[in-house]
Amino acid sequence: MSSEPPSKTGLVNGRLWGARALDWAEAQEGQFRAGYEDVLKRVGLSAATWYCDIGCGSGLAAYIAAEYGAQISGLDASDTLLEIARERLPVGDFRLGEMEDLPFADHSFHVVTGFNSFQYAARPVRALAEAKRVTKPGGLVAVMTWGPPDGMPAAAIVGALKPLLPAPPPGAPGPFALSDETALRAFAQQAGLEPMEARLVATQWSYPDLPTALRGLGSSGVAMRARENSSAAAVDQVHQAALAPFRQPDGSYRLDASYGWLIARA
């Protein structure tokens, strides 16, 4: 592990993303399942695989990986999300910590993933380089992020919160900084990885009713930051207005989303 002092990004992100951990696990995390499954199908998991998910949240990706027989580890900045991950998968080794200073030994894992996580680090390249460090030579590191936001309804829902958020620090990358494949490949190379396969996954966010949709959308760290900067009512009002075009005749909501992923060799 590097002797350089770690960033304390996790102290902030852990609080924000863990504030409504159960809502995230029950109403929102499943909206990303198609991306998790697509990546995990391609990395060749088996009972002989030591696997780690960085920014594991409430553990859905880890749970899917365990269905392949893999030996599971995970890291997150939120105690409350990790509690749910441990309940879902008691055999997993889930740890609290910083992406930029992972509490795992060099070359511990055959496969390491980061699903919509690395872009939230204060130093994303440092975080990805840490993922490489804990991956065995020749092992795989997979990064999943948002697909291109232009014309994507799910991205528009996320973007609708912008007026309620505090001004970002100068040079902050934003949630869609790695949505372009060229940027994603360059990101991997900067961390010392060899980019390989990249792909876009089209999926759909689906909610049975408005209360569930508001519960899920309001559980993200971004929504919690907007809530702290404005109010819970303001966040719900923005989400309700943004969701209106996607209401179905039965009162459910369905909107398209896409995720981009890259698999790289350590």
Side-chain angles (χ1 to χ4, degrees):
M1 239 175 277
S2 168
S3 60
E4 182 183 346
S7 163
K8 296 303 178 186
T9 321
L11 295 176
V12 175
N13 284 335
R15 176 180 60 78
L16 292 172
W17 287 89
R20 294 177 61 178
L22 190 61
D23 289 345
W24 173 264
E26 293 182 348
Q28 190 63 19
E29 188 182 25
Q31 312 299 341
F32 298 88
R33 185 176 188 123
Y36 299 169
E37 290 179 338
D38 204 54
V39 170
L40 294 173
K41 278 192 298 188
R42 281 165 169 74
V43 293
L45 299 177
S46 71
T49 305
W50 288 84
Y51 166 80
C52 185
D53 188 26
I54 306 301
C56 64
S58 48
L60 178 58
Y63 185 87
I64 296 168
E67 292 178 333
Y68 288 89
Q71 308 301 306
I72 305 299
S73 294
L75 175 126
D76 203 82
S78 166
D79 267 325
T80 51
L81 287 169
L82 288 171
E83 286 174 8
I84 297 172
R86 291 175 183 131
E87 289 173 5
R88 283 175 162 172
L89 198 63
V91 297
D93 175 17
F94 294 104
R95 304 190 191 183
L96 183 72
E98 296 274 349
M99 287 188 286
E100 292 112 316
D101 197 46
L102 296 175
F104 302 109
D106 294 358
H107 310 154
S108 294
F109 305 105
H110 300 97
V111 176
V112 174
T113 57
F115 293 107
N116 272 333
S117 59
F118 292 117
Q119 70 264 41
Y120 291 104
R123 291 173 288 170
V125 174
R126 162 69 182 266
L128 188 59
E130 273 289 276
K132 176 182 184 293
R133 177 186 65 76
V134 302
T135 305
K136 295 179 185 294
L140 301 178
V141 177
V143 180
M144 189 186 87
T145 184
W146 288 100
D150 290 349
M152 188 208 306
I157 299 290
V158 175
L161 287 177
K162 187 174 181 179
L164 302 184
L165 291 165
F176 305 106
L178 299 175
S179 297
D180 175 75
E181 183 182 331
T182 300
L184 190 54
R185 288 183 177 275
F187 176 54
Q189 289 174 329
Q190 288 173 334
L193 294 163
E194 176 191 349
M196 296 168 62
E197 183 183 8
R199 178 175 142 90
L200 276 176
V201 180
T203 186
Q204 209 173 56
W205 287 7
S206 179
Y207 307 96
D209 49 47
L210 182 61
T212 304
L214 295 179
R215 184 180 173 217
L217 293 172
S219 67
S220 74
V222 176
M224 288 306 302
R225 189 182 291 276
R227 181 174 176 163
E228 290 179 355
N229 194 56
S230 56
S231 69
V235 169
D236 281 350
Q237 287 169 6
V238 165
H239 279 153
Q240 185 169 352
L243 283 165
F246 307 105
R247 188 180 187 277
Q248 305 301 306
D250 63 357
S252 66
Y253 291 81
R254 292 197 298 273
L255 52 151
D256 291 339
S258 68
Y259 313 119
W261 57 252
L262 171 72
I263 295 173
R265 194 176 300 282

